[in-house]
Amino acid sequence: MYTEKVMDHFQHPRNVGEIENASGMGTIGNAKCGDIMRIYLDIDENQIIRDVKFKTFGCGAAVATSSMATEMVKGKSVQEAMAVTNKAVMEALDGLPPVKVHCSLLAEEAIHAALWDYAAKNGIKIEGLEKPKSDIGEEAEEEDY
């Protein structure tokens, strides 16, 4: 059912925890399944993500997508982090079962929410970034399939 990469990131998640005084923090949930994901970003003066941590309450796929998404943005510029999509997270994990695709969407949206918080705190605009939703509902999931 789950790929080896999904199992590895679930059993040995990377970047778990919090960042005190984070440059940006975003929390996204899915009321339907109960998953909640929080991403913390530490961004330097050159808009490079120095560190990233996550806390996720949810299923194994939610933990795995959080872990993989943090790995994908660490060391990247803010603009490069914007390019991390739910599809990219799924591909990096060698796929997810269809009923777990929403977990990768949570990861993408949590990164965007943390970037939104960073932009708001610093009075800047990040090209292509839209105000995030706090809850990913069924409508958003269906659009991304």
Side-chain angles (χ1 to χ4, degrees):
M1 181 174 191
Y2 289 113
T3 68
E4 281 183 39
K5 282 188 182 176
V6 171
M7 292 305 295
D8 182 44
H9 277 269
F10 166 62
Q11 293 171 332
H12 310 286
R14 286 68 151 172
N15 309 305
V16 175
E18 297 177 35
I19 297 175
E20 263 190 61
N21 303 314
S23 307
M25 194 256 312
T27 304
I28 300 291
N30 182 318
K32 187 178 127 199
C33 69
D35 294 337
I36 300 170
M37 195 176 287
R38 179 170 288 160
I39 301 264
Y40 301 84
L41 299 174
D42 177 24
I43 301 171
D44 71 15
E45 61 281 349
N46 297 314
Q47 294 194 341
I48 302 297
I49 299 170
R50 273 190 296 230
D51 198 11
V52 55
K53 300 279 186 211
F54 79 91
K55 283 198 161 181
T56 293
F57 178 85
C59 64
V63 172
T65 56
S66 303
S67 175
M68 180 56 82
T70 60
E71 287 285 280
M72 293 173 76
V73 300
K74 195 173 201 172
K76 300 282 194 288
S77 71
V78 165
Q79 212 53 55
E80 288 171 317
M82 281 291 300
V84 174
T85 64
N86 72 307
K87 288 176 179 57
V89 172
M90 282 195 303
E91 286 170 13
L93 288 168
D94 293 335
L96 285 172
V99 297
K100 296 297 181 179
V101 170
H102 68 274
C103 294
S104 62
L105 187 60
L106 280 173
E108 175 186 340
E109 290 295 324
I111 289 167
H112 288 179
L115 289 171
W116 182 269
D117 183 50
Y118 163 73
K121 285 178 178 174
N122 291 280
I124 61 172
K125 182 173 177 10
I126 298 172
E127 193 65 38
L129 184 63
E130 294 178 16
K131 186 169 172 51
K133 307 170 188 83
S134 59
D135 179 60
I136 305 296
E138 287 180 59
E139 310 79 38
E141 287 176 40
E142 289 167 6
E143 289 170 15
D144 270 14
Y145 281 129

